[in-house]
Structures are given as C-alpha cells and as structure tokens.
Amino acid sequence: MIEFRYIAATIMVLLSLGDITLNGMVISRMFREREGFNKICVNKSVANVHIATAFLIWAAPCAYLNDYYLPQQFNVFFGQIVGWAPYLMSGPFTQISLAVNRAVAISFPYSFNKQHRVPWTNILLGGLWCIAILMSLPAMIDGCSYIFFVDSVSWSPTDTVCSRTLSEYVTNLVLVMAIISFSINVSSIVKIVRSAIGLSAVMDQNVSESRKRKRRKMFIQCVIQDCTHTTDCMLNTYVYTFYAAQWFQFICGAVSALSVTTLDGLLMSIFHQKSTTPSQSRDPPSKSHTISQFRIRAVSRVSTTIMTTTTL
C-alpha cells in the first residue's frame, strides 16, 4: 500500500502548480494596468505564488523524503512565507484594500478617475508589505515559529506558548479585518443599488440588467474571498487540534491553504475577463430620452466608473 505521505506530497505538487499557473496568469494580465484595483490584485497573486512556491520546493520534497533536506532554519524561513508575511498580504491586507478601493470608487467616482501625481496605491501596498514583514519577525525567535511537520504532513505552530500566542493573534487579526472588509462591501452594494435606481431613467434596459449581474458577481466574489481566508486561518489554528489523524492534519494545514490561494487565482482570472470585455461593448444610453446631452454623458461616466472599478 502506498504511504500517505506520497499521496500528500503529490497533492501538494499538483495544487501548487495549479496555484502558480492561475495566479501567474493574473499577474501577466494585470501587471501593466494602471487601475489601483488591478494593482492590488497583482500583489495578492504575488503573495499567493510565494505561498505555493514554499509548498513546492519545501513541503512536498520533505514529505517525499520523510525528512528535512536542509537545516531547521530553512523550515522556519518557509514557515514565515506560508504563515505570516505573504499570507497576510494574500488574505486580510489585500481583501480590505480591495473593499476600500471599491468604496472610494463608488462614493467619489469623478475624483477617483483623475490622474494623481502621487501613486497612492503603490505607497499603500508598499506600506502593507512592510507591516506584514515586520509582523513576521517575532516568529523567527526560537520557540515561536510556524513550521512544516513531516509526521503530520502539515504546517502548524510549534507546541510552545509563544508560537500558540502568535498564531492566535494572527487569527484574531484576520477575523477582525474580515468583518471590516465584509461591512465595507455590504455598504458598497447598498450604494450601487441606490445609484442604479437613480440612473434607471436615463439608462438602456440592457445596460441596467448587465450592471445588476455584475453587482451580484462582485458580491459573491467578495463573500467567497473573505470567508475562505478566514476559514483557512481557523482550520490552521483551532480545528486541526480536534483530531490527530494524519489525513485530517494534512487537510487542515496544507490542502486548505493551497485551495484558498488557488481559488483566489481562479476567481481573479474569471472576473477580470468578464469585467473588461463587456465594458468595451456597452450599449450607449438611449437617444429617446429628453434629458440634456450633458446629463447623459455625466450619468454614463458615473455608471462606467462603478462598473469597471467595482468588479474584479
């Protein structure tokens, strides 16, 4: 009978390759785009690729060998990638950034499209990366690490007070930021609905229906991404302690993390394709309206801004 570690290692390799492929597609498609929303998506995908690479070049080979092929310091280093800095950027930091980006685009559509001399999005993302890296430094202390265990074929904190405390801290942070992000997204949905009602008199019916579909997709995407990262953190911190079976530890520690980042890449790829193509072929507002041409153009700009900046 094939040992479980071989099966687990193979699953990690396949999921990691899928993760890198999907998120790599997002990076290649959005890298040169100027919109802040797409820049945030690129940073999210970069973090996802880092996580998948750590699984591919460390966790999977160690599982195949049933041992560590490099000193313990490398186990600690890769643990910072999977459990700390890139994880924070992949999950709570970019999720709340995306939510804020949508909220600003909806609340201030005219100023949002203006060219700014200061690259605020780049500064924000650079600051978040610095914060994520600084937050990961305490885990480099001996006895505070988040590492890969060969026997359970999973990542988890070491059995020390320091490590458990840091892990619980990250979990609470993810939960709080997920609630904030979800609240912002709900507020954005309400504003979009109100705006749609106000613009219905000067919009073509087909365009209005298209906007409704995009709002539903955007809301589903937001909920999925917020919930999956929160669930993954809960599995890695609490649920894995419920059952000591190797396959259960593996699902909570490895399959969960890779599934979330792979799903991220898939969602961003799908929604990016569906948000750009229709926007190029939108039907213009009906000419039968008696409202002035200036008002029609102004309303169209507001509608276009909401559609293109709030849908992934």
Side-chain angles (χ1 to χ4, degrees):
M1 182 178 179
I2 301 177
E3 292 187 36
F4 175 77
R5 62 187 178 90
Y6 292 121
I7 299 175
T10 303
I11 292 174
M12 286 190 287
V13 169
L14 294 177
L15 287 175
S16 297
L17 291 175
D19 187 329
I20 294 172
T21 300
L22 288 171
N23 284 282
M25 290 170 59
V26 173
I27 296 172
S28 64
R29 291 173 181 174
M30 300 187 188
F31 182 74
R32 297 187 181 278
E33 297 187 14
R34 296 182 179 180
E35 289 187 10
F37 185 86
N38 292 329
K39 291 180 181 179
I40 299 172
C41 291
V42 169
N43 274 264
K44 188 178 185 67
S45 289
V46 168
N48 290 342
V49 169
H50 276 82
I51 295 173
T53 302
F55 274 94
L56 188 63
I57 68 177
W58 179 250
C62 288
Y64 278 125
L65 297 172
N66 199 29
D67 197 3
Y68 305 121
Y69 64 92
L70 291 174
Q72 180 66 14
Q73 290 81 355
F74 286 90
N75 200 7
V76 174
F77 170 75
F78 286 114
Q80 309 319 303
I81 296 177
V82 173
W84 285 91
Y87 178 81
L88 290 172
M89 285 301 299
S90 170
F93 285 0
T94 50
Q95 282 304 121
I96 201 167
S97 297
L98 290 172
V100 171
N101 179 275
R102 295 177 183 126
V104 173
I106 294 169
S107 300
F108 309 99
Y110 295 108
S111 59
F112 186 85
N113 275 350
K114 291 181 179 179
Q115 295 293 330
H116 299 281
R117 293 183 179 181
V118 180
W120 296 111
T121 302
N122 294 342
I123 294 174
L124 170 65
L125 292 172
L128 290 176
W129 272 108
C130 291
I131 294 173
I133 293 172
L134 289 175
M135 290 178 60
S136 70
L137 294 180
M140 298 293 292
I141 301 174
D142 186 29
C144 297
S145 304
Y146 183 84
I147 61 176
F148 180 75
F149 290 91
V150 176
D151 54 349
S152 60
V153 198
S154 64
W155 301 86
S156 62
T158 55
D159 190 17
T160 62
V161 175
C162 178
S163 184
R164 289 194 298 269
T165 301
L166 288 175
S167 183
E168 291 177 1
Y169 170 73
V170 173
T171 301
N172 293 332
L173 176 66
V174 172
L175 288 172
V176 171
M177 297 190 75
I179 293 173
I180 295 174
S181 177
F182 182 79
S183 300
I184 295 174
N185 286 327
V186 171
S187 176
S188 298
I189 293 296
V190 173
K191 291 180 180 179
I192 293 175
V193 172
R194 290 179 178 176
S195 179
I197 295 175
L199 299 176
S200 60
V202 293
M203 289 185 62
D204 185 89
Q205 184 63 28
N206 293 332
V207 178
S208 180
E209 290 299 324
S210 176
R211 289 184 59 208
K212 291 178 182 178
R213 289 194 297 270
K214 289 177 184 295
R215 287 197 303 271
R216 287 194 294 267
K217 292 174 183 177
M218 183 200 69
F219 184 75
I220 293 172
Q221 175 218 331
C222 294
V223 172
I224 291 176
Q225 288 184 316
D226 283 337
C227 291
T228 52
H229 280 277
T230 304
T231 302
D232 174 58
C233 194
M234 295 293 291
L235 288 172
N236 276 278
T237 307
Y238 299 115
V239 179
Y240 84 97
T241 61
F242 295 168
Y243 191 42
Q246 192 178 43
W247 64 268
F248 187 77
Q249 298 286 311
F250 173 65
I251 290 175
C252 292
V255 175
S256 174
L258 285 173
S259 297
V260 167
T261 52
T262 302
L263 182 60
D264 266 346
L266 179 62
L267 286 173
M268 288 187 286
S269 297
I270 292 175
F271 280 87
H272 179 254
Q273 291 175 350
K274 292 185 178 181
S275 65
T276 54
T277 302
S279 64
Q280 297 173 354
S281 60
R282 282 192 303 273
D283 297 330
S286 174
K287 295 182 180 180
S288 62
H289 298 298
T290 58
I291 303 177
S292 67
Q293 190 65 26
F294 174 78
R295 177 175 173 78
I296 294 176
R297 288 198 300 268
V299 171
S300 179
R301 286 197 299 272
V302 176
S303 172
T304 301
T305 301
I306 293 175
M307 290 172 62
T308 58
T309 59
T310 61
T311 306
L312 188 60

